[in-house]
Amino acid sequence: MSLSAAMKTAQSSFSNVGLQSAVASKNIANASDTAYARRSAILATAATGASVVETQRAQNEALLKQNLLSISKSAGQDTLLSGLTRMKTMLGGEDYELAPSTYLAKLRDNLQTFADKPNEVSLAETVVADAIDVANSLNTTSQALQKLRAEADSDIATSVTELNRLLGEFKTYNDQVKQGTAAGTDVNDALDQRDKLLTQISSIVGVSTMRRSNNDLALYTSDGTVLFETVARTVTFAPTPTYTAAVTGNQVYIDGVAVQAGTGGNTSAQGSIAALLQIRDHAAPTFQKQLDEIARGVITMFSEGTDEGLFISNGLPALTDPGLSTVIRVNPDVISNEGGNPMLLRDGINTNYNVDNNASFSELLNGYAAAFEAPMTFDPAAAIDASATILAFGTSSVGWVEQLRSAATTAGDDKSALLGRTQEALLNVTAVSLDEELALLLDLEQSYKASAKLVAAVDEMIAALLQAAG
């Protein structure tokens, strides 16, 4: 090897070590950034025969797609579970002490006691107080349900705004990747940012990707709607400020196609929007229907012929209208502090059935107590037994919420575990290992020392040559 060739080799080695050291230093600096994919400085031979350094970014297309799918499923499941947990809280927690069925059972028991001693005014007062508890339970639970729907609607609006922002930002980095790939420049930083945006988008809506020329990505929702193709598609939603049982929320549209709500406790929803739609449009309205059916049941049970008795619909046109559980009240004619007489429950509110004013008259009270044991017909749209006693129907309503929540909890654990495993596998491929990077730096140090010795040897040889030449 000539002296000039030796110097060129040393110079090339210095240059390559410098580039490799820079890549290793960048890896170490970003070791804690989960959105950063490890870079590798690979020595390659250029067309001229010289050794050059190429920077390669660690990635795994299959794991990345699985990670996006796991994120969207887990986000949808967590969102649904949060809403169902709120519904369970409305019922009072583990013992369901605030559930209408709990107050109905207490009303039934005290009514039977009053029927056995119909001359006891204090027992009449107790039964009326129990009836007020039943009505209040239906009112507060129904109001809390509509509040839950309104909050879900507000969260949908927030998610849509965020999704539009993310898609706009995605276009910026996707364009950088396309242009950089076509020009042959380093696009690894833009790829990191684009992948980070993909994970954020997938938590809002399920997304699949299609890679095209120059690393261009097209995005589609889980049901095939175009989300991004060269430009971001418009996502629209008009929030509804106030919710009642009769109000239907607006749809979310992506590129003009309505987003479908999730179904089931192990929800099919991918992303938070589909799960929020499931809560707002399916879970909460179904529970509302059950509450309305309970309200209709107790009004019917205590009616006096065609007249409403102990419970009144408070001006609602029909007992089948949505929102009956929100307006149901106890008849003020039997409430003492509103000027009423609780003993009318024994004798009749609209009609005097106790014409002889007998202290032992209990015919009406026994009829009410017997009604608790008689099966009633309920609307199948309530999604539980269409024929049952009022107490069984109330208990089934609690069971429906608990069954749905339990299924969502189990599915949430499974999907969370799958997401954890997927992210772990992806990080094993793309994350920075400080041990490996430090070991690489030691190797580079040795390479630098070898190049330095080569330069020193050449320097000595040139000095000796000059000295010999005089």
Side-chain angles (χ1 to χ4, degrees):
M1 178 184 292
S2 66
L3 292 179
S4 62
M7 286 300 291
K8 287 181 180 178
T9 300
Q11 184 181 21
S12 176
S13 178
F14 278 131
S15 176
N16 291 340
V17 168
L19 292 172
Q20 289 174 301
S21 298
V23 171
S25 298
K26 187 172 184 177
N27 284 340
I28 293 172
N30 291 279
S32 60
D33 184 359
T34 55
Y36 178 84
R38 177 171 54 84
R39 316 285 200 260
S40 297
I42 306 298
L43 284 175
T45 303
T48 59
S51 294
V52 296
V53 174
E54 293 181 354
T55 303
Q56 296 182 354
R57 177 175 177 269
Q59 58 185 2
N60 185 303
E61 195 72 19
L63 281 175
L64 177 61
K65 288 186 176 182
Q66 181 60 47
N67 189 45
L68 296 177
L69 179 62
S70 297
I71 289 173
S72 60
K73 285 186 174 181
S74 184
Q77 194 67 55
D78 290 346
T79 302
L80 175 65
L81 179 58
S82 176
L84 294 175
T85 302
R86 286 272 305 277
M87 289 168 60
K88 178 178 180 178
T89 304
M90 297 171 196
L91 301 176
E94 296 299 328
D95 295 330
Y96 310 108
E97 62 268 22
L98 302 180
S101 59
T102 302
Y103 292 111
L104 277 171
K106 188 178 177 184
L107 172 63
R108 186 268 317 267
D109 295 343
N110 287 328
L111 180 65
Q112 186 61 62
T113 303
F114 181 37
D116 294 338
K117 298 177 181 178
N119 60 331
E120 294 280 348
V121 177
S122 62
L123 290 177
E125 295 273 13
T126 300
V127 171
V128 171
D130 291 339
I132 292 174
D133 287 341
V134 170
N136 287 342
S137 173
L138 289 168
N139 296 160
T140 55
T141 307
S142 180
Q143 291 162 1
L145 265 184
Q146 297 314 316
K147 182 181 179 183
L148 175 64
R149 294 183 70 208
E151 290 177 355
D153 194 273
S154 176
D155 290 343
I156 291 171
T158 302
S159 297
V160 167
T161 301
E162 178 66 4
L163 181 57
N164 280 319
R165 185 191 71 77
L166 292 172
L167 288 174
E169 197 172 346
F170 182 87
K171 181 181 186 317
T172 301
Y173 289 105
N174 190 59
D175 288 347
Q176 289 182 14
V177 170
K178 283 194 304 181
Q179 294 163 6
T181 302
T185 59
D186 186 355
V187 296
N188 290 327
D189 289 344
L191 285 170
D192 280 349
Q193 293 301 317
R194 194 176 69 173
D195 286 354
K196 181 181 179 181
L197 290 169
L198 269 178
T199 60
Q200 293 173 322
I201 291 171
S202 65
S203 69
I204 298 175
V205 62
V207 60
S208 59
T209 63
M210 178 177 290
R211 192 176 298 275
R212 302 186 297 190
S213 60
N214 292 327
N215 262 331
D216 180 29
L217 270 190
L219 307 182
Y220 304 89
T221 65
S222 53
D223 55 2
T225 305
V226 178
L227 190 60
F228 180 94
E229 191 170 15
T230 307
V231 296
R233 296 299 192 261
T234 303
V235 185
T236 59
F237 174 67
T240 303
T242 304
Y243 270 88
T244 66
V247 171
T248 300
N250 295 315
Q251 288 295 313
V252 177
Y253 292 97
I254 299 177
D255 200 24
V257 179
V259 176
Q260 298 300 310
T263 58
N266 181 6
T267 181
S268 60
Q270 293 188 21
S272 58
I273 288 180
L276 288 167
L277 288 171
Q278 182 177 356
I279 293 169
R280 190 197 68 178
D281 298 342
H282 296 283
T286 300
F287 190 37
Q288 175 72 54
K289 184 64 179 176
Q290 294 168 8
L291 295 175
D292 288 348
E293 285 297 281
I294 293 173
R296 184 179 66 82
V298 294
I299 289 176
T300 303
M301 286 167 53
F302 286 91
S303 291
E304 297 175 358
T306 57
D307 297 322
E308 294 177 353
L310 177 60
F311 294 96
I312 58 175
S313 57
N314 210 23
L316 199 69
L319 296 184
T320 53
D321 287 348
L324 179 62
S325 57
T326 309
V327 300
I328 185 174
R329 297 285 186 274
V330 171
N331 196 325
D333 290 343
V334 298
I335 302 176
S336 297
N337 57 15
E338 294 185 18
N341 176 12
M343 292 304 287
L344 291 180
L345 184 61
R346 180 196 66 179
D347 299 333
I349 298 173
N350 303 290
T351 303
N352 184 11
Y353 293 92
N354 185 14
V355 292
D356 297 328
N357 197 27
N358 292 325
S360 61
F361 181 78
S362 60
E363 186 176 330
L364 272 181
L365 298 177
N366 285 326
Y368 296 146
F372 274 92
E373 309 303 328
M376 301 179 64
T377 300
F378 296 99
D379 190 340
I384 48 181
D385 295 337
S387 178
T389 65
I390 189 70
L391 285 174
F393 187 85
T395 302
S396 295
S397 177
V398 174
W400 179 85
V401 172
E402 183 55 41
Q403 186 178 24
L404 200 60
R405 194 196 64 83
S406 178
T409 301
T410 302
D413 292 341
D414 293 343
K415 291 176 182 178
S416 178
L418 178 60
L419 174 59
R421 291 294 182 89
T422 304
Q423 289 183 330
E424 182 181 354
L426 184 59
L427 286 174
N428 286 338
V429 174
T430 63
V432 175
S433 168
L434 287 177
D435 291 341
E436 291 180 7
E437 298 302 324
L438 292 175
L440 177 61
L441 284 177
L442 291 176
D443 291 342
L444 293 174
E445 183 184 10
Q446 296 302 318
S447 178
Y448 177 85
K449 288 180 178 178
S451 299
K453 285 184 178 179
L454 177 59
V455 171
V458 170
D459 181 60
E460 290 176 0
M461 293 173 68
I462 291 176
L465 181 62
L466 292 174
Q467 186 178 11

